[in-house]
Amino acid sequence: MSRLRVIPTYRHGRERLYVCHTDGRNIAWYDREAGRVNLLSEDHREAVLDALGPFLTGQVTVGPPPVPTPAELARLSLHPDDDLAPNRPGEALLVALERDPGPAHRLRPDPRRRALEAEQTVGEALDRLDGAGWHALHSLPLPGGDRVHHLLIGPGGIFALHAVPARKQRATVADPFLTLGRRDPVPLLRDLRAVAARASYALTAEVRPVLCLVTPATVQVTAPPREVRVLTDTEVPELARQGGVLKPADVEALHAMARDRTTWTKV
């Protein structure tokens, strides 16, 4: 075997180096923190160690993954281009700004940058829940140009979060409308329900929509919105206090499904 590729990933403070076959299949990974090279097939041992040679440090254990779960094996079989787990919060906006940063001097700040800051704020709060049995995915693309800003999967169920920059503005929620400051109201909650319904169809599981307002001055909800939960960015950790909906095995299986790009191509 030749021309194996080594692809580094860094997520939730943990670094892993995946070794990929020429057709994109993962055949091993090196967990630097654990000092372990996990082989999916003993037949590839020499080629994998040769590819990882420049990256190995200290004492390293080499062998099959310890008690691999079906969800983990499904994740490892993903082609890197189809794995959405490495997406950063606001990934789509980051790519758009890299391709078209806009003029250097503007009379008003680029609204994309405010939206990016909001998604990054919410994404960082969600990523901090990872150690409590929850998994967060970011910027999941949907056909037609829509996307799920953030998907949170854990014991309390599945949540599709939409981040809205509301810095120092008065936010008024009157289903289906959201009004920020003196701006015209927009029927955002209707859109959030539609996106959550598409995610439910893709995952064959209930997905609950969440409107997340980032650093608003005040929030007024005239009446409890239908199906949509309204939070501020500082209240995001409250989602992790819920439980009793999904078992750990179900959480892992749904996370493996959600991180696969092909899951979202027909919704």
Side-chain angles (χ1 to χ4, degrees), residues 78-101:
L78 280 180
H79 189 285
D81 291 341
D82 289 330
D83 189 358
L84 298 173
N87 279 11
R88 301 161 291 179
E91 182 76 28
L93 290 170
L94 285 165
V95 172
L97 286 166
E98 289 173 1
R99 291 176 177 173
D100 178 20

Side-chain angles (χ1 to χ4, degrees), residues 179-266:
T179 306
L180 293 176
R182 299 181 179 179
R183 301 181 191 176
D184 292 334
V186 293
L188 182 60
L189 275 66
R190 183 185 304 154
D191 297 337
L192 300 192
R193 284 190 284 264
V195 168
R198 295 174 73 180
S200 295
Y201 178 82
L203 299 173
T204 62
E206 182 185 10
V207 177
R208 287 175 279 180
V210 178
L211 170 63
C212 190
L213 300 164
V214 179
T215 61
T218 60
V219 178
Q220 180 183 6
V221 181
T222 59
R226 178 171 59 88
E227 300 176 358
V228 179
R229 184 168 179 176
V230 180
L231 298 175
T232 65
D233 56 295
T234 59
E235 296 170 332
V236 166
E238 293 181 8
L239 295 173
R241 295 174 187 157
Q242 303 181 60
V245 177
L246 295 175
K247 298 177 181 179
D250 296 329
V251 171
E252 296 303 321
L254 285 164
H255 179 239
M257 182 185 299
R259 67 187 296 169
D260 185 347
R261 184 183 299 274
T262 62
T263 296
W264 306 98
T265 57
K266 297 180 180 180

Side-chain angles (χ1 to χ4, degrees), residues 42-97:
E42 190 67 24
D43 296 339
H44 301 150
R45 174 186 284 259
E46 292 186 9
V48 165
L49 292 179
D50 183 60
L52 285 173
F55 306 98
L56 299 177
T57 57
Q59 293 280 33
V60 175
T61 302
V62 181
V67 195
T69 65
E72 186 173 17
L73 289 175
R75 170 178 57 79
L76 289 170
S77 67
L78 280 180
H79 189 285
D81 291 341
D82 289 330
D83 189 358
L84 298 173
N87 279 11
R88 301 161 291 179
E91 182 76 28
L93 290 170
L94 285 165
V95 172
L97 286 166

Side-chain angles (χ1 to χ4, degrees), residues 16-211:
R16 281 187 175 181
L17 298 174
Y18 288 94
V19 182
C20 299
H21 194 276
T22 52
D23 62 6
R25 289 181 296 112
N26 290 317
I27 59 175
W29 74 96
Y30 171 38
D31 188 329
R32 194 186 297 272
E33 183 176 318
R36 181 179 180 87
V37 175
N38 297 280
L39 298 170
L40 294 184
S41 171
E42 190 67 24
D43 296 339
H44 301 150
R45 174 186 284 259
E46 292 186 9
V48 165
L49 292 179
D50 183 60
L52 285 173
F55 306 98
L56 299 177
T57 57
Q59 293 280 33
V60 175
T61 302
V62 181
V67 195
T69 65
E72 186 173 17
L73 289 175
R75 170 178 57 79
L76 289 170
S77 67
L78 280 180
H79 189 285
D81 291 341
D82 289 330
D83 189 358
L84 298 173
N87 279 11
R88 301 161 291 179
E91 182 76 28
L93 290 170
L94 285 165
V95 172
L97 286 166
E98 289 173 1
R99 291 176 177 173
D100 178 20
H105 302 287
R106 297 174 60 102
L107 294 177
R108 295 182 179 179
D110 190 331
R112 296 177 299 173
R113 297 193 180 276
R114 290 181 176 177
L116 173 60
E117 183 179 349
E119 290 191 40
Q120 289 175 329
T121 298
V122 175
E124 289 169 3
L126 292 172
D127 284 343
R128 287 194 289 268
L129 304 179
D130 186 71
W134 293 80
H135 297 293
L137 296 167
H138 310 289
S139 204
L140 305 178
L142 300 175
D146 290 334
R147 61 191 175 90
V148 180
H149 285 190
H150 311 280
L151 192 74
L152 182 66
I153 305 172
I158 310 173
F159 301 93
L161 290 89
H162 187 92
V164 175
R167 184 172 179 82
K168 298 182 180 179
Q169 299 179 83
R170 182 180 68 254
T172 303
V173 179
D175 196 0
F177 295 101
L178 168 66
T179 306
L180 293 176
R182 299 181 179 179
R183 301 181 191 176
D184 292 334
V186 293
L188 182 60
L189 275 66
R190 183 185 304 154
D191 297 337
L192 300 192
R193 284 190 284 264
V195 168
R198 295 174 73 180
S200 295
Y201 178 82
L203 299 173
T204 62
E206 182 185 10
V207 177
R208 287 175 279 180
V210 178
L211 170 63

